Amino acid sequence: MARHPALRTTFHDTPEGPVQRVHDEPKVEIVELEAVGLGEPELLRRLSAIAFRPFDLALGPLLRLGLVAAAAGPVLMVSVHHIVADFWSLGVLLRDLGSLYGRELGLASPLAPSPEIDLEEVVRREEESLAGARGAVLLAFWRQALAGLPL
């Protein structure tokens, strides 16, 4: 969580519009599930209940871990809200978790250096790139593409 500021971020409605807040202290949710002796349908039901429980964007955390004690050994389930992790960043997170697990097992698996990313600067550059004619074209495209879909 210290390496991935997006995972410490919550999102709040304000009169001026949505605001993101990056917290110094991470909130981590770990749900433990004893799966030994459960049949597959019951196991899938319980895993789905953990994975698909709605996230609270304002309260967080937006990452949920499930530690499953299975007959074949422990399994880690990762559930993360798409507002804080795309497919690429999920890959980075899973690589980091794999390295940390390897280190716990006594294997030499150092973490890759943490990228120094200023999220506010990234957002500022995105806002600049969407200003003007380019942003207007993209906005018109997406309004047309999403017209009529439920909110």
Side-chain angles (χ1 to χ4, degrees):
M1 299 286 283
R3 292 170 54 86
H4 301 280
L7 300 177
R8 299 189 318 270
T9 301
T10 55
F11 299 85
H12 307 267
D13 287 327
T14 69
E16 294 79 32
V19 173
Q20 72 176 30
R21 293 190 182 119
V22 179
H23 303 275
D24 293 330
E25 291 296 317
K27 288 173 74 175
V28 180
E29 180 181 354
I30 301 175
V31 178
E32 295 184 41
L33 174 62
E34 177 62 50
V36 176
L38 291 180
E40 186 174 343
E42 179 62 16
L43 176 60
L44 291 175
R45 186 190 69 72
R46 290 188 189 187
L47 290 173
S48 293
I50 295 168
F52 295 111
R53 192 173 78 244
F55 289 96
D56 186 321
L57 296 179
L59 291 178
L62 302 181
L63 168 76
R64 185 178 304 130
L65 301 174
L67 186 57
V68 182
V75 176
L76 179 66
M77 182 181 76
V78 178
S79 182
V80 62
H81 194 284
H82 64 92
I83 200 169
V84 295
D86 59 11
F87 193 67
W88 178 86
S89 57
L90 190 57
V92 173
L93 173 64
L94 293 176
R95 260 193 320 276
D96 283 359
L97 285 171
S99 293
L100 292 170
Y101 184 65
R103 194 166 68 192
E104 286 297 310
L105 294 176
L107 305 173
S109 42
L111 285 171
S114 181
E116 294 297 323
I117 299 173
D118 181 348
L119 295 177
E120 290 179 15
E121 178 62 19
V122 170
V123 169
R124 188 191 61 71
R125 280 185 279 169
E126 279 291 315
E127 287 174 340
E128 283 179 3
S129 76
L130 294 174
R134 180 173 182 263
V137 168
L138 288 172
L139 182 59
F141 169 82
W142 284 111
R143 280 194 171 145
Q144 181 181 3
L146 301 174
L149 293 176
L151 295 176

